[in-house]
Amino acid sequence: MESNNKNNYSPSSSSSTSSTTQPAAATAAATTTTTTDPVQSWWESVSKARSRILSLSSILPSLPSSSSSSSSFSLSSLAESDRPALSFLSSPDAYSLLSSSLSSPSSGSGSDPLCQWLYDTYLSSDPDLRLIVLSFLPLLSGIYLSRIHSSDSSSAPSLSGFEAVLLAIYSSEVKSRGGKPVVVQIPHLSHPSLYHTPRNKFHKSQPQAPSVGVLSGPLEPQIAVKSTKRPVIVGVTLDCYFKHISQMPTWSKVELCRFAGAWAGQDCACQDKFDEYDDAGYFLEGRNLMISSSESEDNLGITESKGVRIPLPWEILQPLLRILGHCLLGPFNTQDAKDAASLAVRRLYARASHDLVPQAILAARSLIQLDKRAREAAKAAAANTTSNANTPAKAKKHEILLVSK
């Protein structure tokens, strides 16, 4: 009987275990299927984006009366699209609407509802919604730095709303880096590459230690924007912008280029010296770029697009020059972005020459050279196309086909 009881217990125990394990596994599988369902994930993302965009209606009820945008524009029309966040990102009317509010004299305070909306939107897990906030970073950081450095700190209005958005972007980057610095491997010239053959042959037994360059040191968490930490915080946010710059709209890139030129200082004659030393024709072209840029500054409807001259430490200059390099040489950038970047990099070159910043002088000078070569190549290609179009095509000879019998 005892053995029978043992035999009866063992199967019952195993069956009981399997019966309880199978529903648990089925439930886990169902949960996994639900959370990884692409249709449901897409719908949750769309619903979240629609809710965020429609919440702007109570903050920004209508377009400014002076706006040249279409009167039929509404936030609800963007929210009803299949991809609301990307539709908002590519809408000039939406950009003009938010830009006018951010540029108002009373913007940027801790009670500013638009800053609260940008803060909450960036804290969401949706990457497309985060792109919306990053697209307004040039305007937000430009106005913030201009106001900070153009007024007395004791009488300056509170800009804690702007600072909260900057800290949200900075904190997300601190979390993503995990306390590690951003480094780059520098190739050693003793090793051959696609671009050179080393002149001096080193012995194989002589090891070459890898050279590592630190682009950005480890980041420390910050709970407030102190004056000593402001360049680092702003620089990190600009670096986040650069990571997604290929997805940024043209007007956002142009905005940043114009602020960069204003931060460097607009009245310095040294910005023309680099072109004077080369050829008068390109110097005149540089002057034309400045004239066309000043004439088109009001195209976006931004009231505070020029900014003021501010301190430019390397923490801000480094990501700023990267962004300008993309705007100058990116294959899909518009001519407006390239012209704005060309003007900004010349002003930064003049500023770096006065401040004696070797890294910035070298980087800006290299960008100017690359910009010159790209424009000369574009001119040559255009002239070649025009000459080919004006040259009459020669009559083709009739082809004679030899057929063997």
Side-chain angles (χ1 to χ4, degrees):
M1 292 295 294
E2 188 174 353
S3 62
N4 291 337
N5 289 338
K6 285 183 179 180
N7 293 336
N8 291 336
Y9 181 80
S10 297
S12 62
S13 300
S14 61
S15 61
S16 175
T17 303
S18 61
S19 62
T20 56
T21 304
Q22 290 176 357
T27 304
T31 304
T32 304
T33 304
T34 303
T35 54
T36 58
D37 185 7
V39 176
Q40 183 174 356
S41 300
W42 169 81
W43 178 247
E44 290 177 355
S45 177
V46 169
S47 300
K48 183 184 298 183
R50 286 179 177 175
S51 176
R52 295 304 303 163
I53 293 176
L54 289 176
S55 64
L56 276 174
S57 301
S58 58
I59 302 175
L60 309 170
S62 60
L63 284 169
S65 58
S66 60
S67 175
S68 59
S69 305
S70 173
S71 58
S72 60
F73 167 76
S74 64
L75 292 173
S76 59
S77 62
L78 297 178
E80 294 302 322
S81 64
D82 293 338
R83 305 190 69 178
L86 295 183
S87 298
F88 187 97
L89 189 67
S90 59
S91 172
D93 293 329
Y95 192 85
S96 176
L97 181 60
L98 266 72
S99 297
S100 300
S101 180
L102 281 176
S103 303
S104 65
S106 59
S107 64
S109 63
S111 60
D112 188 348
L114 183 54
C115 290
Q116 182 67 46
W117 184 89
L118 292 172
Y119 177 84
D120 294 336
T121 301
Y122 194 81
L123 292 183
S124 66
S125 59
D126 189 90
D128 292 338
L129 286 175
R130 286 190 163 198
L131 289 178
I132 294 179
V133 182
L134 287 177
S135 68
F136 287 95
L137 181 61
L139 181 63
L140 188 148
S141 60
I143 296 176
Y144 170 72
L145 292 177
S146 299
R147 291 180 182 177
I148 282 290
H149 294 287
S150 62
S151 58
D152 186 8
S153 58
S154 59
S155 60
S158 173
L159 299 177
S160 56
F162 286 160
E163 292 177 345
V165 180
L166 295 175
L167 280 175
I169 302 174
Y170 175 84
S171 300
S172 68
E173 186 66 12
V174 172
K175 183 179 179 180
S176 64
R177 294 188 185 183
K180 298 180 180 179
V182 178
V183 298
V184 60
Q185 293 286 341
I186 302 176
H188 201 279
L189 295 179
S190 63
H191 300 288
S193 69
L194 294 174
Y195 307 101
H196 85 292
T197 301
R199 295 180 179 179
N200 300 325
K201 295 183 179 180
F202 292 84
H203 297 288
K204 294 182 179 180
S205 60
Q206 184 179 4
Q208 298 294 335
S211 181
V212 178
V214 179
L215 294 180
S216 177
L219 299 178
E220 300 177 356
Q222 303 292 335
I223 60 175
V225 183
K226 300 179 181 179
S227 59
T228 55
K229 299 297 182 181
R230 185 181 296 122
V232 176
I233 294 174
V234 175
V236 170
T237 60
L238 292 176
D239 189 61
C240 292
Y241 180 88
F242 175 73
K243 291 180 180 179
H244 302 278
I245 195 170
S246 61
Q247 300 171 279
M248 292 294 105
T250 298
W251 47 83
S252 179
K253 299 177 186 179
V254 172
E255 194 83 83
L256 185 56
C257 292
R258 289 177 177 169
F259 269 112
W263 293 340
Q266 301 180 12
D267 300 328
C268 179
C270 296
Q271 62 191 358
D272 305 332
K273 299 297 183 181
F274 191 88
D275 295 323
E276 282 181 350
Y277 296 144
D278 296 316
D279 55 90
Y282 194 82
F283 169 73
L284 292 176
E285 182 180 352
R287 297 295 298 175
N288 292 334
L289 283 176
M290 298 175 194
I291 295 173
S292 62
S293 175
S294 62
E295 290 178 349
S296 59
E297 280 181 347
D298 298 328
N299 289 344
L300 294 177
I302 308 303
T303 59
E304 199 173 339
S305 60
K306 290 184 179 181
V308 297
R309 189 180 188 274
I310 66 171
L312 288 176
W314 183 241
E315 291 86 352
I316 294 179
L317 273 177
Q318 187 181 35
L320 197 59
L321 288 169
R322 290 184 200 166
I323 296 172
L324 293 178
H326 169 87
C327 295
L328 277 177
L329 307 173
F332 302 108
N333 288 325
T334 63
Q335 194 61 41
D336 289 339
K338 293 180 180 180
D339 290 346
S342 181
L343 176 60
V345 77
R346 280 167 170 75
R347 289 177 175 170
L348 286 176
Y349 172 78
R351 173 67 180 274
S353 300
H354 282 284
D355 294 348
L356 298 179
V357 184
Q359 309 99 307
I361 293 174
L362 180 60
R365 187 181 182 92
S366 300
L367 289 177
I368 294 174
Q369 290 282 15
L370 292 173
D371 178 40
K372 287 183 57 180
R373 293 174 184 174
R375 291 177 183 272
E376 290 170 359
K379 282 184 177 181
N384 189 26
T385 303
T386 304
S387 62
N388 291 338
N390 295 332
T391 302
K394 296 182 180 179
K396 295 183 179 180
K397 295 182 180 180
H398 296 286
E399 295 182 354
I400 301 176
L401 302 179
L402 300 179
V403 180
S404 60
K405 294 183 179 179

